[in-house]
Amino acid sequence: MSSTRTDLAARLRDLDGRSYGNYKQITGRYRFGPVTVFIDRVQVDPFASPSKVRVRIDRAEAGFPTDITTDGADRIAVADFLLRTGTKALADLGQRAIILGRPGQEILERTNVRIDDDGFEARLLVNLPAKGRRILGRQAADILTRNVPELARTMFLHSGLDAEALRQHVQLHRDQLELRSRLGDEGLVAFVGNDAILPRRSGDSDLPMDSAAVPFRSPDSLETTFVLASGRSVTGMAIPHGVTVIVGGGYHGKSTILRALERGVYPHIAGDGREWVIAEPTASSIRAEDGRAVTGDDISPFITNLPTGTDTRFFTTTNASGSTSQAANLVEALETGARTLLIDEDTSATNFMIRDDRMRALIPAEREPITPFVSRVRPLLTERGVSTVLVAGGSSAFFEVADLVIALDAYVPADVTARARELVGAEDGAEPSVEAPDGVFAAAPARVPTAGALRPSSKTKSAKAKGLDTVQFGRSFIDLAALSQLIDGQQTGAIAEALEYLAEIFDGQTSITEALAEIDAMLDAQGIDGITGHRAHPGHLARPRAQEIAAALNRFRGLRLVD
Ligand code: ADP
Ligand code: MG
């Protein structure tokens, strides 16, 4: 059914003053010149979740150059640009009934704006206006027959956009992706561009710090230049594959670098300050998280002989300690294929990280269940090829095992590897001390959830995101607050959908690793739309990494594994 502008306006005028439930009569599809408005689902009352509306313009009418709207990655960048354009237009209009979504400093693949071979589509959430429980028909007509089509024209008619700004947005995105894809060939795990602004405005803002920020400057010995296909050249600090330790006095900017690296798995918008802070895509932040649930993790590389006699090759608890939770986070990251670990002393369990000589003397080895990370960081590298970037200002214990030691002094990094080696008495040019590989990380057994492991008791609408940090799954709540690389509530929404998707995959034979690969392949093929059952309007979702989907699964207290 397709009707015209006057149809919808007239219908809404007729509905004015009638009870709210009558809004559902406007479900359907309407043409406004080049714009098609789809009213997919109408809310049942003014307090229910908003109505789902899409607007669409055909490719021919939109008039975008094909060279920036064909490739999948380019489409993500263009969609991001258009989303920001639309968000600004709505703010300028002061129209708060229409929700388009609010992107942050990163460029994520989202459902909010979709570009396909046929055209451009925005997915809106609209709060249809009411007075009490009565329809405000004229206001609704304003929103749906004027504001919404106008928004589509503002976003999707290329002739009205700043074409140069759009091109630059796409090119910056391409360049960041290219640099990330080249890290591996250069033997690097991360890169921090000169002049990057790493600190944020405040603890609760993701915007760059103002003029007080000291721009990043690479030490000479680590400086590398990338010349990109676009002709752009970017110079900065290269962090090689291996063990890198960041030291320095308190408040000298150590954690700030690590936090920027965590975000470096995502592309950033121009002006963020972290456009050229690039980490390889699997880089994973590993922290202590006491109280979390753990199901069947093999944490034996770090923890054995617990006083309870618990089997740490299949470690299960509803309430992990600081050290066991950090060990679980680490082995789970390995399971999802992490090739780089990012660890900050501020969020680590000290007894997981180190043990000094006097403590070794006082407590006999067989009474200490923990083999600290300092003893495992080299085997991780040699047996699994996993690099570590670690902030450690309080202990020199990692000097012996580091390939590279960077010292921060008032936010300025220096390469102090040679001096650190001297201090531990290593021969000039000697390799970091390597314990004989003992195969601890060689073979981690696959974890296979039981069939029905993810079928929560209440069947209808079982998974739902509650803000950034929580997924409600059946009757239980999954706490995601510790995931610093989960950065947008729309990703949390997609994680909730992913859990439903996983529930269908798990059959008692498919491992967690296989299931995550299946989701990633589906997302690559169908885009983030593919993860929902809704064909038309998927709501507002953003693509999470497999790492974060796995993290949610691993924190689900109802997870059950095949023995
Ligand atoms: P550390 O981990 O070494 O104790 P932080 O990284 O927490 O230090 O940084 C301490 C403070 O310095 C924070 O308030 C942070 O915003 C600020 N800061 C970090 N880097 C810079 C910089 N490059 N320029 C200005 N301020 C910075
Ligand atoms: Mg710190």
Side-chain angles (χ1 to χ4, degrees), residues 246-260:
I246 301 175
V247 301
Y251 223 68
H252 280 255
K254 303 182 297 297
S255 295
T256 302
I257 290 200
L258 205 75
R259 254 176 257 133

Side-chain angles (χ1 to χ4, degrees), residues 420-454:
R421 289 264 171 78
E422 259 172 54
L423 287 171
V424 295
E427 303 282 313
D428 227 3
E431 290 295 299
S433 74
V434 179
E435 297 179 15
D438 55 3
V440 275
F441 289 107
R447 289 190 304 149
V448 177
T450 58
L454 286 190

Side-chain angles (χ1 to χ4, degrees), residues 196-203 209-216 246-259 344-346 391 393 408 410-412:
I197 301 299
L198 307 184
R200 299 294 97 187
R201 194 164 290 174
S202 66
M209 185 183 273
D210 57 16
S211 53
V214 176
F216 188 83
I246 301 175
V247 301
Y251 223 68
H252 280 255
K254 303 182 297 297
S255 295
T256 302
I257 290 200
L258 205 75
R259 254 176 257 133
D344 191 339
E345 60 184 352
D346 293 353
V391 166
L408 284 176
Y411 320 122
V412 179

Side-chain angles (χ1 to χ4, degrees), residues 323-447:
S323 56
T324 53
S325 64
Q326 194 159 5
N329 287 347
L330 198 156
V331 300
E332 288 166 2
L334 298 182
E335 185 180 39
T336 64
R339 298 187 301 275
T340 308
L341 309 178
L342 305 173
I343 304 182
D344 191 339
E345 60 184 352
D346 293 353
T347 48
S348 291
T350 306
N351 60 343
F352 174 77
M353 299 300 287
I354 52 176
R355 185 158 62 253
D356 67 22
D357 291 341
R358 284 194 198 120
M359 196 57 84
R360 283 180 207 266
L362 183 67
I363 307 294
E366 69 275 12
R367 305 305 300 165
E368 173 51 85
I370 304 176
T371 305
F373 182 69
V374 67
S375 305
R376 292 299 190 217
V377 64
R378 297 300 312 175
L380 267 173
L381 183 65
T382 52
E383 292 173 26
R384 294 291 289 262
V386 173
S387 296
T388 298
V389 182
L390 176 95
V391 166
S395 166
S396 64
F398 284 93
F399 289 0
E400 267 172 272
V401 292
D403 296 297
L404 174 65
V405 182
I406 298 168
L408 284 176
D409 183 15
Y411 320 122
V412 179
D415 179 353
V416 299
T417 313
R419 178 82 183 112
R421 289 264 171 78
E422 259 172 54
L423 287 171
V424 295
E427 303 282 313
D428 227 3
E431 290 295 299
S433 74
V434 179
E435 297 179 15
D438 55 3
V440 275
F441 289 107
R447 289 190 304 149

Side-chain angles (χ1 to χ4, degrees), residues 157-242:
L157 296 180
H158 184 262
S159 55
L161 294 169
D162 181 343
E164 186 47 34
L166 172 61
R167 263 193 191 284
Q168 284 177 15
H169 195 77
V170 173
Q171 193 58 56
L172 177 61
H173 185 250
R174 280 182 190 166
D175 287 352
Q176 291 180 35
L177 297 188
E178 182 191 338
L179 203 160
R180 181 173 299 102
S181 74
R182 286 172 55 185
L183 288 175
D185 289 344
E186 304 288 331
L188 307 180
V189 296
F191 177 85
V192 184
N194 287 341
D195 297 320
I197 301 299
L198 307 184
R200 299 294 97 187
R201 194 164 290 174
S202 66
D204 62 356
S205 168
D206 200 28
L207 298 172
M209 185 183 273
D210 57 16
S211 53
V214 176
F216 188 83
R217 174 67 46 188
S218 172
D220 290 343
S221 60
L222 300 175
E223 200 165 79
T224 301
T225 297
F226 280 89
V227 180
L228 303 173
S230 63
R232 192 198 301 262
S233 101
V234 188
T235 301
M237 179 174 84
I239 302 181
H241 179 69

